[in-house]
Amino acid sequence: VQLQASGGGSVQTGGSLRLSCAVSGLNLDDYNIAWFRQAPGKEREGISCIASSDGAKYYAKSAKGRFTISRDSAKNTVYLQMNDLKPEDTAVYYCAAGKIIYYLLTHILPDVGKKSDLGDVDYWGRGTLVTVSS
């Protein structure tokens, strides 16, 4: 199984980037895919998730209204379109796959429940760096 994140880069405040997560070795119909990010000195933070069952989309408060998650089943790829980027969006972005969506959603939606252990997520990809300058 491999999750390959790409599309990071350096942009100015207000700019846009589209991240891609190319998935191999598992089917998007079976695994929920989420995007996380980690800024220097901070915890890994859940940003968005797309459900395997019905394509439902979930967003953290920090991402809602600016970021859009989508998937292309034919390409087995999940995207994160990020608009109106801010310096606080600077981080390494990771995509992750999980059979049990609950474990992913605890990192994205505070009301779901106590954050699960990141080790409960089945697969992680290597990150891609996003830098937003003011």
Side-chain angles (χ1 to χ4, degrees):
V1 175
Q2 191 172 17
L3 284 75
Q4 183 65 52
S6 62
S10 296
V11 295
Q12 292 190 325
T13 297
S16 298
L17 284 172
R18 187 177 81 154
L19 305 184
S20 299
C21 177
V23 180
S24 59
L26 55 84
N27 195 312
L28 295 186
D29 290 337
D30 299 324
Y31 280 82
N32 310 285
I33 305 296
W35 285 97
F36 287 73
R37 68 185 182 188
Q38 189 164 18
K42 293 192 175 181
E43 285 188 355
R44 193 165 294 192
E45 173 192 14
I47 297 300
S48 183
C49 178
I50 188 163
S52 59
S53 56
D54 59 0
K57 302 173 184 181
Y58 304 89
Y59 298 95
K61 187 178 178 182
S62 58
K64 207 160 189 178
R66 299 188 300 129
F67 295 2
T68 303
I69 193 170
S70 62
R71 69 182 180 188
D72 185 332
S73 296
K75 295 183 179 180
N76 230 37
T77 299
V78 173
Y79 303 97
L80 186 68
Q81 177 67 43
M82 305 188 296
N83 298 329
D84 190 24
L85 284 162
K86 305 174 182 180
E88 51 264 42
D89 295 317
T90 294
V92 177
Y93 283 70
Y94 301 88
C95 55
K99 268 275 194 180
I100 302 174
I101 196 169
Y102 174 81
Y103 295 142
L104 299 171
L105 291 182
T106 60
H107 293 275
I108 296 168
L109 303 173
D111 292 344
V112 167
K114 183 183 173 184
K115 285 183 184 177
S116 64
D117 193 303
L118 290 174
D120 290 331
V121 176
D122 295 304
Y123 301 101
W124 290 93
R126 291 188 176 184
T128 184
L129 177 63
V130 172
T131 303
V132 185
S133 57
S134 56

